[in-house]
Amino acid sequence: MLRISLFTLLLLISSCYTEKAEETRVVSPFLEWENFNPSHDDLFFPIGVYTQNPEHAGEYRKLGINLYYYLWKGPTAEQVDELRKHGMRLISEFNEYARENLINDTIVAAWTHLDEPDLVKFSKKRLEAMGQEKTKALVKEMWPKMYDEMNLDNEVYNGWGFGYSPEYCRDQYRDIKGYDTTRPVIMGLSKGVVSYFNGRGDRKGHREDYREYAEGAGDILAFDIYPVAYGYPEKMHMVADGVDSLASWDAGERPKFVAIECTFGSPDHEIATPAQIRSEIWMAIIRGARGIGYFVHNFDKEGKFVRSDGLLANPEMMEAIEKQNAELLSLRKPIFAKETNEVSLINDEQPVDFVAKRVDGYLYIFASANRPVAIEAEFLVEGMKNGVVEVINENRTLEMKEGVFTGRFTDSFDVNLYRVEL
């Protein structure tokens, strides 16, 4: 007869509870950098806005934005002081002022360097004005591999321009980390992350460069792409595809950020609607993004710059973005939680992306159509019978029978966020 002592029984029970606690414990992906999260918030979810005047920081904070990405020709002491007045933190370039004054300042969450280095920074016209001798010296400094490939010891440079090489970016990364290891460095790449576009001059077609950018030049990988503004609203899935590309280049090991279009439009196309912005955000999160930033600049019909704070001139969009940010912050715990595989699509060939998380007695399922079509998708929840499925923030519920419920995606790239009590 098997005998179990009281001590052993208690130990087994304790172990079960410990395992359960570990399974449901939610950990921020940013905790390895002690100065990224604010001291009062272990589950800080980054919601930024790009290159804005610090005097507007209070207005952006009211919308739920908690970070400034970049400062125009900064940071400077005046810019930082203004941000501090409004309690706004900063993802900062690592210039001389930052190096000498901000390393021990908690206002800085992270560092950046060389934004969109994969795109042309030294144009053909600029290089022609420099002359052959200086151009060749610059190629040799920036792209020694390309210098050899073009045989510039013997040939004339007649290329289309270039950006910063992965090797150059890695040097910049190592320089920043030599001063500060308590914050991440963000590697911000361009729309070239998605192969539909290219503006890379001599490096056009060299997709292998991106893995090198990802491998050694940043702790957080980011990119931007604005499908609606570019006139491709039917290709909004490029936002999700870009997150996949970043993950493929670093084995999904580092956090990913995505720049989202907001009041930004090209001369010939309308700006994204609130619904389209929400779709882009959730498609990115479902694929693994753990931070977003809004690009809010305005341009006129001739393509000339109008204003950097276009969002603040659009009351309807301000209201929508405030609502969107509140939704994100209310769901940050399941966003950060580990994925569970207990949910599946009965027809797994349907163009629907989803991710499932267990948190605090609930099962969350974040789902989005990844093509511009109306879809009815049946979800199967393993181990569940009948129940009620709440559609978060939509004041409606769905019926679950034998673990199956039907989600309807009625609009282009529609998003549904579900919650089931366990």
Side-chain angles (χ1 to χ4, degrees):
M1 181 177 178
L2 179 64
R3 295 182 181 275
I4 300 177
S5 70
L6 178 60
F7 173 78
T8 303
L9 182 60
L10 290 173
L11 187 63
L12 289 171
I13 293 172
S14 173
S15 174
C16 290
Y17 279 112
T18 300
E19 289 176 7
K20 184 177 180 181
E22 288 177 349
E23 288 174 0
T24 59
R25 183 169 177 257
V26 177
V27 177
S28 165
F30 309 110
L31 285 184
E32 68 176 281
W33 302 289
E34 62 186 88
N35 281 322
F36 183 87
N37 288 351
S39 59
H40 63 280
D41 189 356
D42 285 343
L43 291 178
F44 176 73
F45 185 88
I47 303 176
V49 65
Y50 281 89
T51 323
Q52 294 298 294
N53 190 321
E55 70 181 20
H56 297 310
E59 296 169 84
Y60 285 118
R61 276 194 63 84
K62 291 177 181 177
L63 303 182
I65 289 169
N66 52 35
L67 283 172
Y68 262 40
Y69 287 88
Y70 305 103
L71 290 168
W72 179 248
K73 296 184 178 179
T76 66
E78 293 76 18
Q79 291 171 330
V80 172
D81 287 344
E82 185 66 26
L83 289 180
R84 204 184 311 278
K85 290 179 186 177
H86 304 286
M88 181 68 74
R89 299 180 76 226
L90 171 66
I91 291 178
S92 173
E93 291 187 76
F94 196 73
N95 64 7
E96 183 178 353
Y97 174 80
R99 183 173 63 248
E100 295 180 358
N101 297 277
L102 298 181
I103 288 177
N104 296 317
D105 195 327
T106 57
I107 198 169
V108 176
W111 303 113
T112 65
H113 65 100
L114 304 175
D115 186 45
E116 297 185 327
D118 52 312
L119 295 188
V120 168
K121 305 298 183 186
F122 305 95
S123 67
K124 182 180 179 69
K125 184 177 181 180
R126 179 180 174 184
L127 295 171
E128 287 175 347
M130 289 172 58
Q132 281 292 313
E133 183 178 350
K134 290 183 179 179
T135 292
K136 287 184 178 184
L138 187 62
V139 177
K140 194 168 189 177
E141 176 189 0
M142 292 293 174
W143 286 91
K145 177 173 67 173
M146 192 167 69
Y147 182 92
D148 292 337
E149 290 172 353
M150 291 182 168
N151 190 24
L152 293 184
D153 278 338
N154 303 304
E155 302 291 337
V156 172
Y157 175 82
N158 190 30
W160 294 96
F162 47 85
Y164 298 101
S165 70
E167 294 86 351
Y168 188 86
C169 292
R170 284 196 291 269
D171 288 343
Q172 300 301 304
Y173 171 79
R174 285 191 291 265
D175 180 61
I176 296 172
K177 299 302 279 191
Y179 286 95
D180 184 13
T181 60
T182 69
R183 296 176 179 87
V185 176
I186 296 176
M187 174 83 271
L189 296 166
S190 77
K191 59 190 177 183
V193 163
V194 181
S195 61
Y196 294 91
F197 297 106
N198 229 321
R200 305 196 59 219
D202 297 333
R203 302 307 294 173
K204 180 179 180 179
H206 288 271
R207 298 288 292 169
E208 72 276 9
D209 292 344
Y210 283 92
R211 185 176 297 277
E212 295 186 39
Y213 283 119
E215 284 178 346
D219 302 303
I220 294 173
L221 301 182
F223 83 108
D224 61 76
I225 192 164
Y226 312 129
V228 178
Y230 298 151
Y232 298 100
E234 75 282 2
K235 293 183 178 180
M236 282 178 15
H237 58 82
M238 290 187 292
V239 174
D241 295 345
V243 179
D244 281 351
S245 292
L246 294 179
S248 73
W249 294 322
D250 81 334
E253 293 178 352
R254 277 164 282 177
K256 312 296 185 296
F257 287 179
V258 179
I260 300 293
E261 58 188 315
C262 175
T263 68
F264 166 68
S266 69
D268 301 320
H269 302 287
E270 298 295 327
I271 65 172
T273 66
Q276 288 172 322
I277 292 170
R278 183 172 185 254
S279 294
E280 290 184 14
I281 289 170
W282 282 104
M283 281 193 288
I285 288 172
I286 289 166
R287 295 285 183 92
R290 294 297 177 262
I292 66 164
Y294 296 109
F295 191 73
V296 302
H297 292 57
N298 281 166
F299 298 85
D300 66 17
K301 292 295 182 181
E302 283 70 47
K304 295 179 181 178
F305 172 78
V306 175
R307 60 188 298 168
S308 61
D309 58 342
L311 174 57
L312 300 181
N314 188 328
E316 181 183 358
M317 188 65 80
M318 287 174 66
E319 182 179 354
I321 292 302
E322 182 178 11
K323 181 180 178 181
Q324 174 60 60
N325 292 341
E327 180 175 76
L328 284 171
L329 295 175
S330 71
L331 294 171
R332 58 189 177 158
K333 194 169 184 180
I335 289 172
F336 286 154
K338 291 182 179 180
E339 184 176 350
T340 177
N341 62 3
E342 60 196 292
V343 179
S344 59
L345 286 173
I346 289 181
N347 179 359
D348 61 7
E349 294 183 357
Q350 289 183 303
V352 174
D353 287 339
F354 72 92
V355 65
K357 312 289 187 81
R358 273 182 175 254
V359 177
D360 296 337
Y362 289 92
L363 176 68
Y364 291 84
I365 305 167
F366 303 145
S368 171
N370 61 38
R371 290 296 183 273
V373 292
I375 303 166
E376 287 193 358
E378 289 185 304
F379 293 86
L380 173 63
V381 182
E382 182 181 332
M384 294 200 72
K385 295 296 182 182
N386 300 332
V388 175
V389 180
E390 175 192 358
V391 186
I392 298 172
N393 292 330
E394 294 190 24
N395 196 30
R396 63 188 177 96
T397 59
L398 306 174
E399 185 180 11
M400 180 188 292
K401 291 184 177 181
E402 297 298 318
V404 176
F405 71 93
T406 300
R408 292 178 173 82
F409 301 82
T410 57
D411 300 317
S412 178
F413 297 98
D414 197 10
V415 170
N416 288 317
L417 311 176
Y418 305 115
R419 178 165 50 206
V420 182
E421 188 171 4
L422 298 171

mmCIF file of all heavy atoms in Angstrom, residues 18-52:
data_model
loop_
_atom_site.group_PDB
_atom_site.id
_atom_site.type_symbol
_atom_site.label_atom_id
_atom_site.label_comp_id
_atom_site.label_asym_id
_atom_site.label_seq_id
_atom_site.Cartn_x
_atom_site.Cartn_y
_atom_site.Cartn_z
ATOM 1 N N THR A 18 2.527 26.449 -7.152
ATOM 2 C CA THR A 18 3.661 27.213 -7.670
ATOM 3 C C THR A 18 3.687 27.160 -9.185
ATOM 4 O O THR A 18 3.869 28.171 -9.859
ATOM 5 C CB THR A 18 4.986 26.651 -7.107
ATOM 6 O OG1 THR A 18 4.952 26.764 -5.681
ATOM 7 C CG2 THR A 18 6.171 27.440 -7.659
ATOM 8 N N GLU A 19 3.473 25.945 -9.742
ATOM 9 C CA GLU A 19 3.473 25.808 -11.187
ATOM 10 C C GLU A 19 2.361 26.637 -11.810
ATOM 11 O O GLU A 19 2.539 27.298 -12.829
ATOM 12 C CB GLU A 19 3.332 24.336 -11.573
ATOM 13 C CG GLU A 19 4.579 23.509 -11.284
ATOM 14 C CD GLU A 19 4.360 22.043 -11.593
ATOM 15 O OE1 GLU A 19 3.291 21.722 -12.151
ATOM 16 O OE2 GLU A 19 5.238 21.242 -11.284
ATOM 17 N N LYS A 20 1.174 26.628 -11.155
ATOM 18 C CA LYS A 20 0.061 27.396 -11.676
ATOM 19 C C LYS A 20 0.383 28.880 -11.654
ATOM 20 O O LYS A 20 0.115 29.615 -12.603
ATOM 21 C CB LYS A 20 -1.203 27.114 -10.863
ATOM 22 C CG LYS A 20 -2.446 27.816 -11.408
ATOM 23 C CD LYS A 20 -3.677 27.438 -10.605
ATOM 24 C CE LYS A 20 -4.911 28.139 -11.163
ATOM 25 N NZ LYS A 20 -6.130 27.822 -10.390
ATOM 26 N N ALA A 21 1.005 29.343 -10.566
ATOM 27 C CA ALA A 21 1.368 30.753 -10.457
ATOM 28 C C ALA A 21 2.373 31.132 -11.529
ATOM 29 O O ALA A 21 2.282 32.197 -12.133
ATOM 30 C CB ALA A 21 1.927 31.045 -9.072
ATOM 31 N N GLU A 22 3.341 30.232 -11.795
ATOM 32 C CA GLU A 22 4.344 30.527 -12.805
ATOM 33 C C GLU A 22 3.725 30.583 -14.193
ATOM 34 O O GLU A 22 4.109 31.382 -15.021
ATOM 35 C CB GLU A 22 5.447 29.482 -12.756
ATOM 36 C CG GLU A 22 6.340 29.602 -11.532
ATOM 37 C CD GLU A 22 7.380 28.508 -11.464
ATOM 38 O OE1 GLU A 22 7.282 27.542 -12.254
ATOM 39 O OE2 GLU A 22 8.273 28.612 -10.627
ATOM 40 N N GLU A 23 2.718 29.731 -14.434
ATOM 41 C CA GLU A 23 2.079 29.710 -15.731
ATOM 42 C C GLU A 23 1.323 31.006 -16.004
ATOM 43 O O GLU A 23 1.247 31.456 -17.140
ATOM 44 C CB GLU A 23 1.109 28.530 -15.816
ATOM 45 C CG GLU A 23 1.803 27.176 -15.916
ATOM 46 C CD GLU A 23 0.816 26.032 -15.841
ATOM 47 O OE1 GLU A 23 -0.383 26.299 -15.720
ATOM 48 O OE2 GLU A 23 1.246 24.879 -15.893
ATOM 49 N N THR A 24 0.744 31.597 -14.971
ATOM 50 C CA THR A 24 -0.075 32.784 -15.166
ATOM 51 C C THR A 24 0.687 34.081 -14.910
ATOM 52 O O THR A 24 0.155 35.153 -15.147
ATOM 53 C CB THR A 24 -1.304 32.738 -14.241
ATOM 54 O OG1 THR A 24 -0.865 32.670 -12.882
ATOM 55 C CG2 THR A 24 -2.167 31.539 -14.551
ATOM 56 N N ARG A 25 1.905 33.995 -14.420
ATOM 57 C CA ARG A 25 2.676 35.199 -14.139
ATOM 58 C C ARG A 25 3.045 35.907 -15.440
ATOM 59 O O ARG A 25 3.488 35.291 -16.403
ATOM 60 C CB ARG A 25 3.948 34.839 -13.365
ATOM 61 C CG ARG A 25 4.794 36.047 -12.966
ATOM 62 C CD ARG A 25 5.871 35.628 -11.971
ATOM 63 N NE ARG A 25 6.722 36.751 -11.629
ATOM 64 C CZ ARG A 25 7.945 36.944 -12.102
ATOM 65 N NH1 ARG A 25 8.458 36.057 -12.954
ATOM 66 N NH2 ARG A 25 8.667 37.981 -11.748
ATOM 67 N N VAL A 26 2.824 37.203 -15.481
ATOM 68 C CA VAL A 26 3.099 37.995 -16.669
ATOM 69 C C VAL A 26 4.344 38.836 -16.420
ATOM 70 O O VAL A 26 4.446 39.531 -15.409
ATOM 71 C CB VAL A 26 1.900 38.893 -17.013
ATOM 72 C CG1 VAL A 26 2.228 39.771 -18.209
ATOM 73 C CG2 VAL A 26 0.664 38.040 -17.297
ATOM 74 N N VAL A 27 5.276 38.765 -17.342
ATOM 75 C CA VAL A 27 6.555 39.464 -17.196
ATOM 76 C C VAL A 27 6.763 40.389 -18.387
ATOM 77 O O VAL A 27 6.582 39.993 -19.539
ATOM 78 C CB VAL A 27 7.725 38.462 -17.097
ATOM 79 C CG1 VAL A 27 9.050 39.195 -17.009
ATOM 80 C CG2 VAL A 27 7.537 37.541 -15.898
ATOM 81 N N SER A 28 7.159 41.616 -18.119
ATOM 82 C CA SER A 28 7.449 42.571 -19.177
ATOM 83 C C SER A 28 8.669 42.119 -19.978
ATOM 84 O O SER A 28 9.663 41.653 -19.408
ATOM 85 C CB SER A 28 7.731 43.945 -18.567
ATOM 86 O OG SER A 28 8.351 44.801 -19.515
ATOM 87 N N PRO A 29 8.632 42.274 -21.294
ATOM 88 C CA PRO A 29 9.817 41.930 -22.099
ATOM 89 C C PRO A 29 10.945 42.935 -21.960
ATOM 90 O O PRO A 29 12.007 42.750 -22.545
ATOM 91 C CB PRO A 29 9.262 41.932 -23.532
ATOM 92 C CG PRO A 29 8.112 42.879 -23.493
ATOM 93 C CD PRO A 29 7.512 42.725 -22.125
ATOM 94 N N PHE A 30 10.731 44.002 -21.179
ATOM 95 C CA PHE A 30 11.732 45.057 -21.056
ATOM 96 C C PHE A 30 12.462 45.047 -19.718
ATOM 97 O O PHE A 30 13.264 45.937 -19.442
ATOM 98 C CB PHE A 30 11.066 46.422 -21.247
ATOM 99 C CG PHE A 30 10.230 46.514 -22.488
ATOM 100 C CD1 PHE A 30 8.843 46.594 -22.413
ATOM 101 C CD2 PHE A 30 10.818 46.504 -23.739
ATOM 102 C CE1 PHE A 30 8.070 46.671 -23.552
ATOM 103 C CE2 PHE A 30 10.049 46.583 -24.896
ATOM 104 C CZ PHE A 30 8.668 46.663 -24.796
ATOM 105 N N LEU A 31 12.192 44.041 -18.878
ATOM 106 C CA LEU A 31 12.733 44.063 -17.526
ATOM 107 C C LEU A 31 14.253 43.913 -17.459
ATOM 108 O O LEU A 31 14.868 44.270 -16.463
ATOM 109 C CB LEU A 31 12.078 42.975 -16.671
ATOM 110 C CG LEU A 31 10.648 43.245 -16.199
ATOM 111 C CD1 LEU A 31 10.175 42.132 -15.275
ATOM 112 C CD2 LEU A 31 10.535 44.594 -15.498
ATOM 113 N N GLU A 32 14.867 43.383 -18.505
ATOM 114 C CA GLU A 32 16.321 43.204 -18.446
ATOM 115 C C GLU A 32 17.069 44.541 -18.469
ATOM 116 O O GLU A 32 18.250 44.602 -18.142
ATOM 117 C CB GLU A 32 16.808 42.314 -19.585
ATOM 118 C CG GLU A 32 16.684 42.904 -20.968
ATOM 119 C CD GLU A 32 17.285 41.997 -22.030
ATOM 120 O OE1 GLU A 32 18.531 41.997 -22.158
ATOM 121 O OE2 GLU A 32 16.521 41.290 -22.703
ATOM 122 N N TRP A 33 16.353 45.630 -18.843
ATOM 123 C CA TRP A 33 16.966 46.958 -18.841
ATOM 124 C C TRP A 33 16.341 47.755 -17.699
ATOM 125 O O TRP A 33 15.186 48.184 -17.770
ATOM 126 C CB TRP A 33 16.745 47.660 -20.167
ATOM 127 C CG TRP A 33 17.312 46.860 -21.304
ATOM 128 C CD1 TRP A 33 18.623 46.655 -21.604
ATOM 129 C CD2 TRP A 33 16.557 46.131 -22.295
ATOM 130 N NE1 TRP A 33 18.752 45.863 -22.711
ATOM 131 C CE2 TRP A 33 17.496 45.522 -23.156
ATOM 132 C CE3 TRP A 33 15.199 45.951 -22.542
ATOM 133 C CZ2 TRP A 33 17.112 44.737 -24.241
ATOM 134 C CZ3 TRP A 33 14.817 45.175 -23.608
ATOM 135 C CH2 TRP A 33 15.764 44.578 -24.448
ATOM 136 N N GLU A 34 17.094 47.978 -16.661
ATOM 137 C CA GLU A 34 16.527 48.516 -15.422
ATOM 138 C C GLU A 34 15.966 49.916 -15.567
ATOM 139 O O GLU A 34 15.110 50.336 -14.790
ATOM 140 C CB GLU A 34 17.583 48.514 -14.320
ATOM 141 C CG GLU A 34 18.809 49.376 -14.603
ATOM 142 C CD GLU A 34 19.885 49.232 -13.541
ATOM 143 O OE1 GLU A 34 20.736 48.324 -13.681
ATOM 144 O OE2 GLU A 34 19.843 50.011 -12.580
ATOM 145 N N ASN A 35 16.378 50.655 -16.584
ATOM 146 C CA ASN A 35 15.900 52.032 -16.727
ATOM 147 C C ASN A 35 14.868 52.220 -17.836
ATOM 148 O O ASN A 35 14.524 53.362 -18.171
ATOM 149 C CB ASN A 35 17.080 52.981 -16.968
ATOM 150 C CG ASN A 35 17.816 53.313 -15.688
ATOM 151 O OD1 ASN A 35 17.202 53.487 -14.641
ATOM 152 N ND2 ASN A 35 19.136 53.389 -15.760
ATOM 153 N N PHE A 36 14.360 51.118 -18.405
ATOM 154 C CA PHE A 36 13.340 51.290 -19.454
ATOM 155 C C PHE A 36 11.970 51.543 -18.829
ATOM 156 O O PHE A 36 11.316 52.540 -19.107
ATOM 157 C CB PHE A 36 13.286 50.078 -20.376
ATOM 158 C CG PHE A 36 12.295 50.271 -21.507
ATOM 159 C CD1 PHE A 36 12.699 50.892 -22.674
ATOM 160 C CD2 PHE A 36 10.982 49.862 -21.394
ATOM 161 C CE1 PHE A 36 11.796 51.109 -23.712
ATOM 162 C CE2 PHE A 36 10.068 50.063 -22.422
ATOM 163 C CZ PHE A 36 10.484 50.686 -23.584
ATOM 164 N N ASN A 37 11.500 50.626 -18.007
ATOM 165 C CA ASN A 37 10.196 50.805 -17.376
ATOM 166 C C ASN A 37 10.261 51.896 -16.313
ATOM 167 O O ASN A 37 11.264 52.010 -15.606
ATOM 168 C CB ASN A 37 9.724 49.507 -16.721
ATOM 169 C CG ASN A 37 9.304 48.467 -17.729
ATOM 170 O OD1 ASN A 37 9.210 48.751 -18.916
ATOM 171 N ND2 ASN A 37 9.041 47.264 -17.273
ATOM 172 N N PRO A 38 9.208 52.696 -16.166
ATOM 173 C CA PRO A 38 9.164 53.622 -15.025
ATOM 174 C C PRO A 38 9.220 52.841 -13.716
ATOM 175 O O PRO A 38 8.805 51.675 -13.658
ATOM 176 C CB PRO A 38 7.806 54.324 -15.188
ATOM 177 C CG PRO A 38 7.379 54.055 -16.587
ATOM 178 C CD PRO A 38 7.984 52.749 -16.980
ATOM 179 N N SER A 39 9.704 53.460 -12.667
ATOM 180 C CA SER A 39 9.877 52.763 -11.390
ATOM 181 C C SER A 39 8.561 52.254 -10.816
ATOM 182 O O SER A 39 8.542 51.272 -10.076
ATOM 183 C CB SER A 39 10.549 53.699 -10.375
ATOM 184 O OG SER A 39 9.762 54.865 -10.182
ATOM 185 N N HIS A 40 7.450 52.871 -11.199
ATOM 186 C CA HIS A 40 6.152 52.502 -10.622
ATOM 187 C C HIS A 40 5.373 51.529 -11.497
ATOM 188 O O HIS A 40 4.252 51.171 -11.159
ATOM 189 C CB HIS A 40 5.301 53.760 -10.417
ATOM 190 C CG HIS A 40 4.960 54.463 -11.709
ATOM 191 N ND1 HIS A 40 5.851 55.298 -12.338
ATOM 192 C CD2 HIS A 40 3.850 54.431 -12.488
ATOM 193 C CE1 HIS A 40 5.296 55.762 -13.447
ATOM 194 N NE2 HIS A 40 4.081 55.245 -13.564
ATOM 195 N N ASP A 41 5.934 51.089 -12.620
ATOM 196 C CA ASP A 41 5.131 50.329 -13.591
ATOM 197 C C ASP A 41 5.965 49.214 -14.221
ATOM 198 O O ASP A 41 6.681 49.427 -15.193
ATOM 199 C CB ASP A 41 4.610 51.273 -14.670
ATOM 200 C CG ASP A 41 3.593 50.613 -15.588
ATOM 201 O OD1 ASP A 41 3.342 49.404 -15.427
ATOM 202 O OD2 ASP A 41 3.053 51.311 -16.462
ATOM 203 N N ASP A 42 5.819 47.997 -13.682
ATOM 204 C CA ASP A 42 6.556 46.850 -14.218
ATOM 205 C C ASP A 42 5.978 46.331 -15.529
ATOM 206 O O ASP A 42 6.592 45.497 -16.194
ATOM 207 C CB ASP A 42 6.578 45.716 -13.193
ATOM 208 C CG ASP A 42 7.546 45.985 -12.060
ATOM 209 O OD1 ASP A 42 8.417 46.860 -12.227
ATOM 210 O OD2 ASP A 42 7.425 45.337 -11.003
ATOM 211 N N LEU A 43 4.769 46.788 -15.901
ATOM 212 C CA LEU A 43 4.142 46.342 -17.136
ATOM 213 C C LEU A 43 3.911 47.528 -18.077
ATOM 214 O O LEU A 43 2.880 47.653 -18.725
ATOM 215 C CB LEU A 43 2.814 45.629 -16.843
ATOM 216 C CG LEU A 43 2.935 44.267 -16.149
ATOM 217 C CD1 LEU A 43 1.553 43.685 -15.880
ATOM 218 C CD2 LEU A 43 3.754 43.284 -16.981
ATOM 219 N N PHE A 44 4.895 48.379 -18.144
ATOM 220 C CA PHE A 44 4.831 49.558 -18.996
ATOM 221 C C PHE A 44 4.717 49.139 -20.458
ATOM 222 O O PHE A 44 5.527 48.367 -20.970
ATOM 223 C CB PHE A 44 6.099 50.389 -18.780
ATOM 224 C CG PHE A 44 6.227 51.600 -19.652
ATOM 225 C CD1 PHE A 44 5.446 52.715 -19.421
ATOM 226 C CD2 PHE A 44 7.158 51.633 -20.673
ATOM 227 C CE1 PHE A 44 5.585 53.844 -20.211
ATOM 228 C CE2 PHE A 44 7.309 52.753 -21.473
ATOM 229 C CZ PHE A 44 6.519 53.868 -21.243
ATOM 230 N N PHE A 45 3.668 49.653 -21.147
ATOM 231 C CA PHE A 45 3.500 49.385 -22.578
ATOM 232 C C PHE A 45 3.828 50.661 -23.350
ATOM 233 O O PHE A 45 3.161 51.686 -23.179
ATOM 234 C CB PHE A 45 2.076 48.936 -22.901
ATOM 235 C CG PHE A 45 1.901 48.527 -24.344
ATOM 236 C CD1 PHE A 45 2.158 47.231 -24.741
ATOM 237 C CD2 PHE A 45 1.513 49.455 -25.300
ATOM 238 C CE1 PHE A 45 2.021 46.854 -26.073
ATOM 239 C CE2 PHE A 45 1.379 49.097 -26.632
ATOM 240 C CZ PHE A 45 1.629 47.789 -27.019
ATOM 241 N N PRO A 46 4.845 50.634 -24.210
ATOM 242 C CA PRO A 46 5.289 51.853 -24.898
ATOM 243 C C PRO A 46 4.302 52.300 -25.976
ATOM 244 O O PRO A 46 3.994 51.556 -26.907
ATOM 245 C CB PRO A 46 6.617 51.434 -25.531
ATOM 246 C CG PRO A 46 6.985 50.131 -24.896
ATOM 247 C CD PRO A 46 5.700 49.485 -24.513
ATOM 248 N N ILE A 47 3.827 53.549 -25.857
ATOM 249 C CA ILE A 47 2.981 54.179 -26.870
ATOM 250 C C ILE A 47 3.599 55.543 -27.157
ATOM 251 O O ILE A 47 3.506 56.457 -26.338
ATOM 252 C CB ILE A 47 1.535 54.339 -26.404
ATOM 253 C CG1 ILE A 47 0.934 52.992 -26.016
ATOM 254 C CG2 ILE A 47 0.694 54.984 -27.512
ATOM 255 C CD1 ILE A 47 -0.477 53.095 -25.440
ATOM 256 N N GLY A 48 4.248 55.681 -28.281
ATOM 257 C CA GLY A 48 5.001 56.883 -28.558
ATOM 258 C C GLY A 48 4.420 57.732 -29.667
ATOM 259 O O GLY A 48 3.454 57.358 -30.343
ATOM 260 N N VAL A 49 5.026 58.894 -29.857
ATOM 261 C CA VAL A 49 4.716 59.768 -30.983
ATOM 262 C C VAL A 49 6.053 60.294 -31.495
ATOM 263 O O VAL A 49 6.974 60.573 -30.727
ATOM 264 C CB VAL A 49 3.761 60.910 -30.558
ATOM 265 C CG1 VAL A 49 4.414 61.839 -29.553
ATOM 266 C CG2 VAL A 49 3.247 61.672 -31.761
ATOM 267 N N TYR A 50 6.162 60.403 -32.825
ATOM 268 C CA TYR A 50 7.464 60.670 -33.446
ATOM 269 C C TYR A 50 7.738 62.159 -33.659
ATOM 270 O O TYR A 50 6.907 62.898 -34.192
ATOM 271 C CB TYR A 50 7.555 59.958 -34.803
ATOM 272 C CG TYR A 50 7.868 58.498 -34.677
ATOM 273 C CD1 TYR A 50 6.850 57.559 -34.555
ATOM 274 C CD2 TYR A 50 9.186 58.048 -34.642
ATOM 275 C CE1 TYR A 50 7.145 56.210 -34.416
ATOM 276 C CE2 TYR A 50 9.487 56.705 -34.503
ATOM 277 C CZ TYR A 50 8.449 55.793 -34.393
ATOM 278 O OH TYR A 50 8.729 54.463 -34.253
ATOM 279 N N THR A 51 8.911 62.578 -33.212
ATOM 280 C CA THR A 51 9.532 63.857 -33.541
ATOM 281 C C THR A 51 8.569 65.037 -33.333
ATOM 282 O O THR A 51 8.262 65.777 -34.266
ATOM 283 C CB THR A 51 10.048 63.851 -34.997
ATOM 284 O OG1 THR A 51 10.560 62.573 -35.327
ATOM 285 C CG2 THR A 51 11.159 64.879 -35.162
ATOM 286 N N GLN A 52 8.139 65.206 -32.098
ATOM 287 C CA GLN A 52 7.195 66.273 -31.763
ATOM 288 C C GLN A 52 7.829 67.354 -30.901
ATOM 289 O O GLN A 52 8.822 67.111 -30.204
ATOM 290 C CB GLN A 52 5.993 65.676 -31.039
ATOM 291 C CG GLN A 52 5.159 64.759 -31.904
ATOM 292 C CD GLN A 52 4.552 65.471 -33.095
ATOM 293 O OE1 GLN A 52 3.708 66.347 -32.949
ATOM 294 N NE2 GLN A 52 5.001 65.107 -34.296
#
